[in-house]
């Protein structure tokens, strides 16, 4: 009779491997909350509060999925995506933001994010979204999916792209969006943690790039593209 093995399998061996997740957000308290909420579902392997930190640390740890805030003082999620997508194409990015503005959703997807969810999402839903993105699916909060569908429907035979919008930097887009919402230069400076002089420089650059002469033309242009 063949001898039976007495070796027992560790129950942990049968569990699916936990996904390695990296957090990028400029608010430490929010990162701490996400880390605590996701602790039972994924392995949080690192975090960063700036674009420069994110690029360096993501390259070092090689996570499966990066949870990425859209707006940060030094450039935001799109800057991280643009820096990482060519050198680390295997890393998946899921935007997690308070913003539900159409231009933010389209901008991040155009830059290479696999999904976009708002910070009202529950911990279980977020864990499921991370798993789906890691598996190659696209994930959106329900209302935000419409922005992507509308963008494709507008030009069904072409990629989602806007040459005029694409020539603007992330910061110029942020300034333009606030300008179109009626913010004064002083209010924009306070909102983005920059000087009034810097706001004036960004507005001047946007006017030059878009070949417009005043903020009212910019506001109409932004409204036409649902940037407001």
């Amino acid at each position: 009779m063949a001898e039976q093995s007495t070796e027992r399998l560790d129950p942990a061996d049968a569990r699916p491997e936990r996904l390695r997740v990296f957090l990028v957000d400029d608010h430490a308290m929010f990162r701490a909350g996400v880390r605590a909420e996701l602790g039972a579902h994924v392995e949080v392997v690192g975090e960063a509060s700036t674009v420069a930190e994110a690029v360096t640390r993501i390259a070092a740890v090689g996570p499966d999925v990066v949870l990425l805030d859209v707006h940060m003082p030094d450039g935001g999620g799109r800057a991280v995506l643009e820096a990482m997508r060519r050198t680390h194409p295997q890393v998946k990015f899921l935007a997690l933001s308070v913003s539900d503005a159409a231009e933010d959703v389209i901008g991040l997807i155009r830059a290479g994010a696999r999904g976009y969810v708002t910070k009202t999402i529950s911990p279980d839903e977020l864990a499921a979204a991370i798993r789906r993105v890691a598996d190659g699916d696209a994930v959106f909060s329900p209302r935000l999916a419409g922005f992507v569908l509308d963008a494709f429907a507008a030009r069904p035979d072409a990629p989602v792209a806007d040459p005029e919008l694409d020539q603007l930097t992330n910061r110029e887009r942020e300034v333009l969006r606030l300008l179109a919402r009626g913010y004064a230069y002083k209010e924009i400076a306070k909102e983005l943690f920059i000087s009034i002089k810097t706001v004036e420089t960004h507005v001047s650059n946007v006017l030059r790039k878009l070949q417009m002469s005043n903020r009212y033309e910019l506001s109409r242009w932004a409204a036409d593209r649902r940037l407001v």
Side-chain angles (χ1 to χ4, degrees), residues 17-23 41-46 57-58 60-67 91-92 130-131 134:
E17 184 177 351
R18 293 210 301 171
L19 290 171
R20 303 173 72 251
V21 173
F22 192 96
L23 309 178
H41 304 282
V42 302
E43 178 186 359
V44 178
V45 295
R57 295 176 183 176
I58 291 169
V61 302
D64 299 307
V65 177
V66 175
L67 286 182
V91 178
K92 306 291 196 312
I130 292 169
R131 173 63 65 182

Side-chain angles (χ1 to χ4, degrees), residues 17 22 26 42-43 66 79-80 96-98 103 122 125 143 154 197 208 213:
E17 184 177 351
F22 192 96
D26 59 327
V42 302
E43 178 186 359
V66 175
V80 176
L96 175 63
S97 177
V98 295
E103 80 276 12
S122 72
E125 289 172 334
R143 193 174 79 87
K197 180 69 174 178
R208 174 178 52 81
S213 59

